[in-house]
C-alpha cells in the first residue's frame, strides 16, 4: 500500500571499505544500475554522516546501507599525529548522527543498515568483545545481528576439516539482540 502511494524508492550503499562486488551483488538480485553508491575516499566520519543525512533527507531513499562504521575516522583523530593515542573514535559524531538518523528514518519511513565489526574491549579487565562507536548506536538500533564464521561442510552437510575452499560450503552463525526501549519508540 505504502509503495503504491509513493512509488519505488532508491537504495543507497555507502562503501567506506571499497569492497562492493557488483558482480556478486547482481548474482544476489541487486539491480546495480539503480543502486546509488557513495565511495568516500578522504572524508572523515562527520563528512560521511553529513552525506548520508543529506541524501536521506530528500525522502527519495527507502533503504540505506553504510559499510562499515569501524573504518570511519573522526575529524579529531584525522588531524592528530599517528603517535598520539586517541580514545572514543567515532562515538561522539556517531551519537549525534544516530539521534538525527532516528528522526529522518521515522519521517521518511527509511530503513538504515549500519555494518560494524567486533573489536576487543581495551579497558575491560575481563576482556571480551564489543562493537565500535559507543553506546548510542546500540541504544538506537531496533535489532542488532551478529555474524561469525562457522565450519566448512560438503554438499551432504558433513563437516570438513581439510578442505579445498572451492569445493566446500561455509556455515555462517548468527544471533540477534533486540533493544527493548527502541521497539516501542518506532512501533506503528
Amino acid at each position: 500500500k505504502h509503495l503504491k502511494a509513493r512509488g519505488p524508492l532508491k537504495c543507497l550503499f555507502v562503501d567506506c571499505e571499497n569492497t562492493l562486488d557488483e558482480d556478486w551483488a547482481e548474482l544476489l538480485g541487486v539491480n546495480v544500475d539503480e543502486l546509488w553508491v557513495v565511495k568516500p575516499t578522504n572524508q572523515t566520519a562527520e563528512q560521511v554522516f553529513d552525506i548520508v543525512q543529506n541524501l536521506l533527507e530528500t525522502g527519495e531513499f527507502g533503504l540505506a546501507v553504510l559499510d562499515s562504521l569501524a573504518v570511519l575516522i573522526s575529524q579529531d583523530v584525522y588531524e592528530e599525529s599517528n603517535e598520539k593515542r586517541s580514545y572514543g573514535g567515532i562515538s561522539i559524531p556517531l551519537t549525534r548522527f544516530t539521534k538525527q538518523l532516528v528522526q529522518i528514518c521515522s519521517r521518511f519511513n527509511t530503513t538504515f543498515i549500519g555494518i560494524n565489526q567486533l573489536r576487543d574491549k581495551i579497558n575491560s579487565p575481563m576482556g571480551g568483545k564489543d562493537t565500535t562507536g559507543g553506546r548510542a548506536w546500540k541504544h538506537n538500533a531496533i535489532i542488532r545481528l551478529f555474524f561469525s564464521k562457522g565450519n566448512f561442510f560438503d554438499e551432504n552437510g558433513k563437516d570438513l576439516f581439510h578442505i579445498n575452499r572451492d569445493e566446500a560450503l561455509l556455515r555462517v552463525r548468527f544471533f540477534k539482540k533486540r533493544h527493548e526501549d527502541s521497539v516501542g519508540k518506532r512501533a506503528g
Side-chain angles (χ1 to χ4, degrees):
K1 180 180 175 182
H2 181 72
L3 182 60
K4 287 181 182 178
R6 285 180 66 178
L9 299 174
K10 298 174 185 173
C11 293
L12 172 66
F13 189 85
V14 183
D15 189 13
C16 298
E17 291 194 345
N18 290 307
T19 56
L20 175 63
D21 183 341
E22 292 184 3
D23 293 333
W24 180 248
E26 284 183 359
L27 185 65
L28 295 174
V30 176
N31 184 348
V32 177
D33 295 332
E34 296 291 323
L35 183 66
W36 279 58
V37 179
V38 174
K39 292 186 177 251
T41 52
N42 293 322
Q43 284 90 352
T44 64
E46 292 88 342
Q47 292 168 325
V48 171
F49 295 153
D50 286 342
I51 291 168
V52 171
Q53 182 179 344
N54 290 335
L55 286 170
L56 294 184
E57 284 182 334
T58 65
E60 298 177 13
F61 293 89
L63 173 66
V65 178
L66 193 149
D67 182 19
S68 97
L69 293 167
V71 300
L72 296 175
I73 300 172
S74 70
Q75 183 72 35
D76 292 340
V77 174
Y78 188 77
E79 293 172 350
E80 288 179 354
S81 165
N82 285 335
E83 297 167 355
K84 186 175 179 182
R85 284 189 176 191
S86 63
Y87 297 98
I90 63 165
S91 60
I92 293 171
L94 184 59
T95 297
R96 188 187 81 236
F97 176 65
T98 56
K99 289 177 182 179
Q100 296 164 339
L101 189 62
V102 167
Q103 295 174 7
I104 293 168
C105 289
S106 177
R107 187 175 343 129
F108 296 110
N109 199 24
T110 302
T111 299
F112 186 87
I113 299 172
I115 298 173
N116 208 340
Q117 298 168 3
L118 286 173
R119 300 281 172 89
D120 291 326
K121 288 184 179 179
I122 59 173
N123 290 331
S124 173
M126 304 302 285
K129 303 240 181 234
D130 202 2
T131 54
T132 59
R135 293 187 180 116
W137 182 254
K138 297 173 202 170
H139 177 74
N140 286 304
I142 291 175
I143 190 166
R144 297 170 64 211
L145 300 175
F146 294 82
F147 296 88
S148 63
K149 182 178 171 182
N151 298 330
F152 285 98
F153 63 98
D154 64 15
E155 292 176 354
N156 300 320
K158 182 180 175 186
D159 284 343
L160 300 174
F161 300 101
H162 302 287
I163 56 152
N164 177 355
R165 290 181 187 247
D166 294 334
E167 297 174 5
L169 303 168
L170 177 62
R171 231 177 235 111
V172 176
R173 296 184 299 239
F174 79 96
F175 70 95
K176 68 179 179 177
K177 286 186 180 179
R178 293 184 69 148
H179 191 283
E180 293 92 25
D181 293 342
S182 66
V183 175
K185 287 183 195 173
R186 290 189 273 308

